[in-house]
Amino acid sequence: MSRGIRGVGAQHEQRRTEIADAVLAIVAERGLAAVSQSAVAAQAGVSAGRVQHYFPAKQQLIEAAFERGNHLSSARIRQQVGRDLEAADARLVLTTVLTELIPYDAATRAHMRVRQAFHALALADEVIAARLRLLYDDFHRQMADLIGEGRRSGRITAALDLHQSALALVALAEGLASYVLIDLTCAGTARELLLAAVADLYR
């Protein structure tokens, strides 16, 4: 019996993942405005009824794509740094994680578009806002821990406030990401500005 339950659960998650991937593909090709249950169904090769079964509202499609995008982003980071992030150089991990927030191809542009759409939803939905606060609290703590390793090794001044530095770097990265998405600046310039800000910590 337990094997059957696990099998059904695995199929359920696989279908949700396929639908979330379809949302990201649509955003990459046609933008966020093109996302609808019928468009996602066509992209995923399933019925509109199946999409509605898993995600009754467009907001839920965006949330699923947000989660899927974060998962794929983490996989890219591990591919660049190595699977054991704890064993990697802290500055390398910090730089890789932050620059991953700057969209540089179709996949990362889609991810950041969905991410920012999810942020926009949070402005009118306290449940989503509360979830984002928890996610960012954890993210800022992780970045602060990486900066703290540099401080403990003497590569960063002891007077630096870890939390404020982490907050400033994440905000800079996401602000630059917005500029890239609206073509106010290019990904290369945004990346250089972010790398310069990280370098300033280690002077």
Side-chain angles (χ1 to χ4, degrees):
M1 179 68 72
S2 61
R3 289 182 181 177
I5 292 173
R6 284 199 296 271
V8 170
Q11 290 178 4
H12 176 79
E13 287 306 313
Q14 178 63 28
R15 288 169 185 157
R16 287 177 60 89
T17 297
E18 290 170 354
I19 292 170
D21 283 339
V23 177
L24 289 171
I26 290 171
V27 174
E29 295 171 5
R30 288 173 275 162
L32 192 66
V35 174
S36 67
Q37 290 179 332
S38 59
V40 171
Q43 181 72 37
V46 300
S47 68
R50 173 166 288 184
V51 173
Q52 188 172 25
H53 170 73
Y54 287 105
F55 305 102
K58 180 176 178 177
Q59 177 173 315
Q60 292 170 314
L61 285 171
I62 294 172
E63 182 172 2
F66 171 78
E67 293 173 351
R68 178 62 173 161
N70 287 341
H71 174 78
L72 294 172
S73 178
S74 294
R76 287 191 294 268
I77 290 167
R78 290 184 181 279
Q79 186 176 29
Q80 294 178 58
V81 175
R83 296 194 63 83
D84 189 358
L85 296 183
E86 294 185 1
D89 176 73
R91 181 173 180 175
L92 174 61
V93 177
L94 178 69
T95 300
T96 304
V97 171
L98 290 172
T99 54
E100 175 66 20
L101 293 173
I102 305 295
Y104 53 85
D105 60 13
T108 53
R109 286 182 75 91
H111 176 212
M112 291 309 297
R113 281 175 177 165
V114 168
R115 187 183 180 99
Q116 296 199 5
F118 200 59
H119 286 191
L121 291 174
L123 297 177
D125 189 323
E126 175 55 28
V127 173
I128 295 178
R131 181 181 175 192
L132 280 178
R133 286 195 293 271
L134 288 174
L135 288 172
Y136 273 106
D137 282 345
D138 185 56
F139 187 35
H140 293 151
R141 179 189 55 76
Q142 292 177 32
M143 297 302 96
D145 287 346
L146 290 170
I147 297 169
E149 288 188 35
R151 191 171 71 175
R152 286 188 293 276
S153 67
R155 299 165 69 190
I156 294 177
T157 177
L160 192 73
D161 185 297
L162 300 181
H163 177 74
Q164 288 186 5
S165 297
L167 183 69
L169 285 173
V170 173
L172 174 62
E174 294 200 323
L176 289 169
S178 296
Y179 281 13
V180 173
L181 289 176
I182 63 172
D183 295 323
L184 184 60
T185 190
C186 67
T189 298
R191 181 183 175 87
E192 288 175 6
L193 289 169
L194 184 55
L195 291 176
V198 173
D200 284 343
L201 294 181
Y202 287 83
R203 287 177 180 165

